[in-house]
């Protein structure tokens, strides 16, 4: 692949993304059908002198499958589409009952709830489903333990990963019943107990492994439930800084290889402790690493150096760019996205002669972020979308709820720009709801939950006085 750039200035990193395509994105209309077809065939395939290495061969096989997928699309399709109704149908078919081959995820049942309900929300398919929401709340309540936190299913011990998923899912449900299910005092006790005072960071469960996932899962849940304290966050930025590698990305633990999922968790965790703690992170080095994870031919992201493209990194890598934009532009990413609806209202007033949705669309598709938003949307919609419903890792793989959730989340972060505008390939029909880049739930839901728990805290403070 292209040699690592060494730009000292962020603008040169931004330009790198466009130069790698061999054409100027700023001069092209990517909702014009012929334009983006020509752009795809102008991309460069993988080149290596080590032709016999298995990783090189697998990369070439992947690019061949991508090329065949696009060729078939160009021959048979008139336009890019998002099959919303089919995706909603796929999710609803699995949300109450799954086939036996899903037994391997018996310890991840809150994750299944989160993946499905978040996908429904992004697709606009959660309206008028009060009975479903109530059933999800009831089930997740049975996954909660008396000692605090949530297990992977009823009767399973508490673990930070399903705790993250359960809290996110309950916040998406957005009812008082959902909020009140969460035992916040016990949740705080559990989170604090998971702190690893010896190494820094958090262990995933009692006696379990320590990695930056724990930091993110714990602080995300605490932030949404308004129980984030200095005692809980103490030492976390310093631990995360030790996870940054020579490449610039973050490993799961000091000394581990840089990885997209861990990098997102690490950066988001530091932001949740306070923007002032970014001083512990080498942001330029991290930026150089993440811009090189978007694949030049496929358009999607890889998780690590010399790995294959995978649609789940559409969010785990793509979400990093929204966070980076807040850092480079010096605005608070959490408070900004919590007030996202107000930003969109301002964007809608730009031209009163247009409809609300038309006002949002940037037809010339200028990338607003430090990655090629158009190419990512192409990969998600053309290569990973199953017309019968659901999304998959890449062509040749099977669809599942995990990749459906993070493909849609990645589609969202590539569409909704920080300035309130929206960049979509295919126009309004492919547009999904915005997602908060730190929590990966819709901003309005995050704000509603934080406001609710803040009021409860305020009432308790008044009673003490």
């Amino acid at each position: 692949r292209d040699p690592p750039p060494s730009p000292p200035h962020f603008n040169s990193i931004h330009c790198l993304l466009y130069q790698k395509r061999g054409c100027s994105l700023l001069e092209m209309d990517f909702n014009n059908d012929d334009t983006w077809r020509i752009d795809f065939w102008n991309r460069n395939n993988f080149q290596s002198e080590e032709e016999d290495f298995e990783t090189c061969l697998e990369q070439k096989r992947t690019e061949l499958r991508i090329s065949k997928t696009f060729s078939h699309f160009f021959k048979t399709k008139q336009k890019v589409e998002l099959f919303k109704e089919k995706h909603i149908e796929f999710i609803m078919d699995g949300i109450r009952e799954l086939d036996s081959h899903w037994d391997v995820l018996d310890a991840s049942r809150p994750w299944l709830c989160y993946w499905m309900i978040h996908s429904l929300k992004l697709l606009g398919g959660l309206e008028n489903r009060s009975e479903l929401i109530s059933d999800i709340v009831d089930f997740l309540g049975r996954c909660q333990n008396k000692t605090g936190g949530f297990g992977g299913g009823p009767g399973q011990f508490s673990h930070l990963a399903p705790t993250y998923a359960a809290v996110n899912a309950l916040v998406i449900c957005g009812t008082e019943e959902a909020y009140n299910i969460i035992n916040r005092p016990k949740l705080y006790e559990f989170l604090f107990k998971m702190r690893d005072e010896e190494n820094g960071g958090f262990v995933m469960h009692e006696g379990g492994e320590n990695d930056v996932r724990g930091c993110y899962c714990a602080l995300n849940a605490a932030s949404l439930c308004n129980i984030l304290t200095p005692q809980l966050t103490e030492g976390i930025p310093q631990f995360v800084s030790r996870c940054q590698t020579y490449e610039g990305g973050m490993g799961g633990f000091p000394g581990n290889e840089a990885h997209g999922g861990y990098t997102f968790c690490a950066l988001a965790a530091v932001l949740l402790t306070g923007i002032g703690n970014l001083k512990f992170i080498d942001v330029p080095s991290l930026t150089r690493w993440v811009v090189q994870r978007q694949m030049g031919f496929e358009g999607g992201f890889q998780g690590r150096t010399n790995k294959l493209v995978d649609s789940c990194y559409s969010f785990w890598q793509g979400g990093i760019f929204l966070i980076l934009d807040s850092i480079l532009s010096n605005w608070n990413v959490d408070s900004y996205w919590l007030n996202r609806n107000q930003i969109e209202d301002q964007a809608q007033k730009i031209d009163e002669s247009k409809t609300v949705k038309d006002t949002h669309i940037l037809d010339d598709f200028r990338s607003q972020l430090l990655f090629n938003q158009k190419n990512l949307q192409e990969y998600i919609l053309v290569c990973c979308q199953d017309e019968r419903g659901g999304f998959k890792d890449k062509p040749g793989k099977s669809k599942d709820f995990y990749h459906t959730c993070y493909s849609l989340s990645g589609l969202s972060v590539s569409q909704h720009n920080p300035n309130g505008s929206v960049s979509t390939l295919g126009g309004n029909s492919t547009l999904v709801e915005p997602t908060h880049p730190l929590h990966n739930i819709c901003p309005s839901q995050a704000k509603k939950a934080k406001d609710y728990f803040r009021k409860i805290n305020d009432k308790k403070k008044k009673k003490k006085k």
Side-chain angles (χ1 to χ4, degrees):
R1 297 244 171 242
D2 296 335
S6 55
H9 195 273
F10 288 109
N11 284 344
S12 56
I13 298 176
H14 204 172
C15 293
L16 173 70
L17 296 175
Y18 308 126
Q19 293 169 356
K20 289 170 73 173
R21 309 302 176 202
C23 57
S24 172
L25 298 189
L26 301 183
E27 298 174 357
M28 303 181 75
D29 177 359
F30 284 108
N31 281 321
N32 178 297
D33 199 50
D34 292 331
T35 302
W36 72 272
R37 281 167 160 74
I38 294 170
D39 172 64
F40 175 78
W41 295 118
N42 283 337
R43 298 181 196 172
N44 294 322
N45 292 84
F46 176 74
Q47 300 293 329
S48 173
E49 296 178 358
E50 307 294 346
E51 299 290 342
D52 295 332
F53 283 7
E54 180 57 32
T55 53
C56 296
L57 295 174
E58 188 57 37
Q59 174 61 35
K60 290 185 176 183
R61 285 193 286 265
T62 299
E63 290 187 1
L64 180 60
R65 286 192 289 268
I66 298 290
S67 181
K68 288 181 177 179
T69 301
F70 270 98
S71 295
H72 176 74
F73 176 84
F74 293 153
K75 290 178 182 178
T76 60
K77 303 294 178 184
Q78 297 299 315
K79 61 179 181 178
V80 179
E81 295 180 80
L82 176 64
F83 304 106
K84 290 184 180 181
E85 295 304 319
K86 290 295 184 181
H87 298 316
I88 291 172
E89 183 180 329
F90 167 66
I91 295 163
M92 293 303 298
D93 283 347
I95 204 163
R96 292 191 181 278
E97 186 175 354
L98 291 171
D99 295 334
S100 59
H101 70 269
W102 291 96
D103 287 352
V104 293
L105 292 179
D106 182 62
S108 300
R109 293 168 74 182
W111 279 109
L112 286 164
C113 291
Y114 166 62
W115 296 334
M116 293 182 187
I117 196 171
H118 182 47
S119 297
L120 286 175
K121 182 63 179 177
L122 290 174
L123 292 165
L126 198 56
E127 303 300 324
N128 303 317
R129 298 192 188 275
S130 56
E131 183 180 353
L132 173 65
I133 288 174
S134 182
D135 289 345
I136 291 173
V137 170
D138 176 70
F139 171 73
L140 291 174
R142 289 185 278 120
C143 295
Q144 186 172 213
N145 289 305
K146 294 181 180 180
T147 54
F150 294 78
Q156 299 183 29
F157 63 77
S158 295
H159 190 291
L160 284 178
T163 295
Y164 166 92
V167 169
N168 271 22
L170 289 167
V171 170
I172 293 170
C173 288
T175 62
E176 283 199 30
E177 178 191 13
Y179 298 152
N180 293 332
I181 278 288
I182 304 172
N183 187 332
R184 293 195 305 147
K186 287 297 182 181
L187 174 60
Y188 183 84
E189 289 180 15
F190 167 67
L191 297 180
F192 196 82
K193 189 176 182 180
M194 294 304 102
R195 281 179 53 89
D196 185 345
E197 301 297 346
E198 180 180 352
N199 297 304
F202 288 80
V203 293
M204 295 300 292
H205 59 88
E206 193 169 357
E209 72 277 21
N210 177 346
D211 60 55
V212 293
R213 289 178 306 154
C215 297
Y216 172 60
C217 290
L219 300 186
N220 175 82
S223 176
L224 288 173
C225 294
N226 210 345
I227 54 175
L228 197 61
T229 64
Q231 293 78 19
L232 197 63
T233 63
E234 183 181 0
I236 300 306
Q238 293 88 333
F239 169 74
V240 169
S241 70
R242 299 199 303 275
C243 296
Q244 189 162 20
T245 75
Y246 72 95
E247 289 185 278
M250 303 286 186
F253 193 78
N256 288 1
E257 180 185 9
H259 183 284
Y262 291 127
T263 300
F264 173 86
C265 289
L267 186 61
V270 171
L271 263 293
L272 288 169
T273 68
I275 194 168
N277 289 319
L278 284 170
K279 63 185 179 183
F280 294 102
I281 305 298
D282 185 347
V283 175
S285 178
L286 187 153
T287 305
R288 284 194 295 270
W289 179 80
V290 72
V291 297
Q292 293 177 82
R293 300 284 71 78
Q294 186 170 26
M295 308 297 279
F297 185 79
E298 301 92 311
F301 286 97
Q302 61 183 180
R304 291 177 284 165
T305 304
N306 293 330
K307 292 292 183 177
L308 300 176
V309 67
D310 186 329
S311 65
C312 73
Y313 294 111
S314 301
F315 176 77
W316 294 122
Q317 300 283 30
I320 293 173
F321 290 93
L322 284 175
I323 300 174
L324 287 176
D325 188 81
S326 72
I327 297 170
L328 300 179
S329 304
N330 196 29
W331 47 268
N332 187 300
V333 64
D334 188 34
S335 62
Y336 175 89
W337 282 89
L338 289 179
N339 294 287
R340 173 75 191 188
N341 289 342
Q342 297 177 16
I343 302 299
E344 290 185 344
D345 289 342
Q346 293 173 9
Q348 292 167 18
K349 295 176 182 178
I350 294 173
D351 187 344
E352 296 295 342
S353 65
K354 296 182 179 180
T355 64
V356 170
K357 289 186 177 180
D358 286 341
T359 303
H360 280 173
I361 303 302
L362 297 178
D363 287 326
D364 58 359
F365 216 112
R366 293 181 175 90
S367 283
Q368 304 290 303
L369 300 166
L370 294 180
F371 73 98
N372 192 312
Q373 294 164 249
K374 175 198 71 70
N375 283 16
L376 178 61
Q377 291 182 38
E378 284 179 18
Y379 178 71
I380 294 170
L381 294 171
V382 176
C383 297
C384 302
Q385 184 176 205
D386 191 317
E387 293 184 9
R388 298 164 297 178
F391 289 79
K392 51 196 171 187
D393 165 357
K394 60 176 68 68
K397 300 288 186 178
S398 300
K399 61 185 180 182
D400 58 62
F401 298 109
Y402 170 81
H403 286 94
T404 297
C405 174
Y406 290 107
S407 291
L408 290 169
S409 300
L411 188 62
S412 178
V413 300
S414 69
Q415 291 179 340
H416 293 272
N417 300 310
N419 65 0
S421 66
V422 175
S423 301
T424 61
L425 182 70
N428 292 325
S429 64
T430 63
L431 186 62
V432 297
E433 295 292 323
T435 193
H436 192 297
L438 293 183
H439 304 300
N440 198 21
I441 59 177
C442 290
S444 59
Q445 297 169 311
K447 179 175 173 55
K448 182 181 175 183
K450 290 187 179 187
D451 288 346
Y452 180 85
F453 292 125
R454 186 178 295 110
K455 289 178 181 178
I456 292 177
N457 290 353
D458 291 343
K459 287 181 181 179
K460 289 182 178 179
K461 290 178 181 178
K462 287 181 180 179
K463 285 184 179 180
K464 288 182 180 180
K465 292 180 179 180

